[in-house]
Amino acid sequence: GTCCFCALLEIALSFMPRAQLRRIFPPIVTGVCVLLIGIALTGTGIKYWGGGAFCADHASKRKLTTVGKSYSGDLVTPKTYVSTSPCAPGPFCPKELLGVCSYTGPQYDKDTDTTQGDVTICERFMDLPGTFMVDAAAKRDPTTSWQKCTDNGQVVLPFGAAEYVGLGFSVFMVLLISEVFGSPFVRNCQVAIALLAGFAISALARYPMPGNTPDLKYVTNDKINSAPGITFLWVKTFPLSVYVPAIIPTLIGFVITTVESVGDITA
């Protein structure tokens, strides 16, 4: 309800003569607005280019927990416990690991007369300066702790995988070709054309995974197949209400979208 009411302002501005709009929103204002919005969206675009926003935000959180070996008897009091952790003997990790790893020393359990191994938890395993060696026998492969990107069909890869970057680059190339060789109509629609072309390439592309037949798809029909065949929107009602304290902030937001629209159309 609040948005419907405040949208009347933008509707009224759309009927104003062009000369008055340019006087209210001069090109220096609309141009800077579009530029700042484009700069802000660049970071978001890079995230989706690499595989998705969620895995981009959590790509550095490659958690690895290492538990030391347990021994019978008390090895804590005489300080004879032998640790392989880079943070031993603790209680704090070396300077280069502060903020990356946390360390909990060995604990002696009197009931079982056992010294439980120390625990080292590293939130960003790939940032470690070579302190943990990759031990295939212990299955401590660093790639197993990478944050994977989901919602990309059947393909699940880490953020920044070459396959994701290549598909995103195809969209960028279509944008570039449309800008250089396209007609004015094509240049006005180049974003939609590039996204449709990238989607088509993704639908045709396959990811060959060892031991998996057939190859994995980047685009699936799961959501389409699970959707109802026909949806009657008018059978659902949404009550409208106006939240008075939100009117002024929402009006400001619609003014900003007006400035953005004027800048986009001018460009």
Side-chain angles (χ1 to χ4, degrees), residues 14-197:
S14 66
F15 287 98
M16 292 183 64
R18 183 175 60 180
Q20 295 184 11
L21 278 177
R22 289 178 63 89
R23 191 177 300 112
I24 299 175
F25 307 119
I28 186 66
V29 175
T30 58
V32 171
C33 178
V34 173
L35 175 64
L36 293 178
I37 292 175
I39 294 174
L41 292 178
T42 300
T44 303
I46 293 296
K47 292 180 181 180
Y48 283 100
W49 192 336
F54 178 81
C55 61
D57 294 335
H58 297 80
S60 61
K61 295 184 180 300
R62 302 164 182 170
K63 187 175 181 180
L64 177 70
T65 301
T66 302
V67 180
K69 187 176 180 180
S70 299
Y71 299 93
S72 60
D74 183 6
L75 302 182
V76 177
T77 303
K79 296 182 180 181
T80 56
Y81 181 85
V82 179
S83 175
T84 58
S85 171
C87 296
F92 301 105
C93 294
K95 182 178 180 181
E96 62 271 15
L97 297 181
L98 288 177
V100 178
C101 298
S102 61
Y103 177 76
T104 303
Q107 305 292 326
Y108 174 64
D109 188 353
K110 294 182 179 180
D111 297 334
T112 60
D113 190 27
T114 303
T115 300
Q116 300 176 352
D118 54 356
V119 179
T120 307
I121 301 177
C122 298
E123 295 291 339
R124 296 187 298 275
F125 175 71
M126 296 304 294
D127 293 345
L128 300 180
T131 52
F132 279 114
M133 299 298 294
V134 177
D135 186 359
K139 296 183 179 181
R140 279 167 43 186
D141 185 353
T143 59
T144 60
S145 62
W146 288 3
Q147 175 65 49
K148 301 298 192 300
C149 297
T150 57
D151 294 332
N152 295 317
Q154 298 173 340
V155 181
V156 180
L157 297 173
F159 175 76
E163 292 79 4
Y164 293 149
V165 175
L167 290 175
F169 189 73
S170 66
V171 177
F172 182 78
M173 288 303 299
V174 174
L175 277 173
L176 188 62
I177 294 173
S178 301
E179 180 66 27
V180 176
F181 301 104
S183 63
F185 174 78
V186 173
R187 288 199 297 269
N188 287 332
C189 305
Q190 60 180 323
V191 175
I193 294 174
L195 291 176
L196 289 175

Side-chain angles (χ1 to χ4, degrees), residues 191-214:
V191 175
I193 294 174
L195 291 176
L196 289 175
F199 185 82
I201 295 173
S202 301
L204 296 175
R206 296 293 185 270
Y207 178 75
M209 190 172 184
N212 187 82
T213 304

